Amino acid sequence: MNSRYVGYLMSLIPMAALGPVAAQEVVAPSSAAQSQSAPESTIQVTRDVGAMGKLCLGEIYLDGKVVAELDRGQSYSTKVSPGSHTLRGAPALNTWLCKRFYSAPQMQQAQLTIDVPVGANLAYRYGFTSSGVPSLTAAGP
């Protein structure tokens, strides 16, 4: 790269110097793209505040990917497409104590396969049973 342009490329532009995007430069989404997008649904997972498992963060997985690490009392919410999804909660094995108590296969996870209806708002609770086993259950009525 030519050194005379480095300072120019790395300069910040003051916010006051910025203007709105000209109307002719805004691209409207095509009607085909709008008709293909399905209405979204919402999944919310709240971590219980009980004493069991309190020293471990809870990892929340959606369709096999970690989407959140929850401490007691925290919630995670995301938009999803309608259809079948796998929701899983597991203790984060990032500390010696969590590895010691939750490394056995029966203690590692709680998993649900859920069918998400169009436009639904679904709520779930992640926590631990009185015997310390991870639990993921539907919340609400």
Side-chain angles (χ1 to χ4, degrees):
M1 180 183 296
N2 191 332
S3 62
R4 68 181 179 156
Y5 294 110
V6 172
Y8 176 73
L9 293 175
M10 308 252 329
S11 298
L12 296 176
I13 300 171
M15 292 298 288
L18 300 176
V21 176
Q24 65 270 22
E25 294 177 1
V26 176
V27 179
S30 69
S31 58
Q34 289 176 348
S35 64
Q36 290 177 356
S37 63
E40 293 181 324
S41 301
T42 302
I43 292 177
Q44 180 179 0
V45 179
T46 301
R47 170 82 184 263
D48 281 348
V49 294
M52 295 305 290
K54 72 179 180 179
L55 299 176
C56 300
L57 292 174
E59 291 180 332
I60 304 302
Y61 295 76
L62 182 61
D63 297 328
K65 295 179 182 164
V66 176
V67 293
E69 281 191 342
L70 300 179
D71 205 349
R72 297 182 320 145
Q74 292 182 325
S75 291
Y76 168 76
S77 182
T78 188
K79 300 284 186 187
V80 296
S81 60
S84 182
H85 294 277
T86 302
L87 187 62
R88 180 165 62 104
L93 301 178
N94 56 348
T95 66
W96 175 85
L97 186 63
C98 296
K99 285 179 188 174
R100 173 137 168 87
F101 288 105
Y102 294 106
S103 60
Q106 71 274 14
M107 299 296 280
Q108 287 184 357
Q109 64 183 357
Q111 182 169 309
L112 297 173
T113 300
I114 53 177
D115 186 31
V116 180
V118 175
N121 293 314
L122 304 176
Y124 295 89
R125 292 176 54 176
Y126 173 71
F128 296 82
T129 65
S130 59
S131 57
V133 177
S135 171
L136 185 63
T137 57

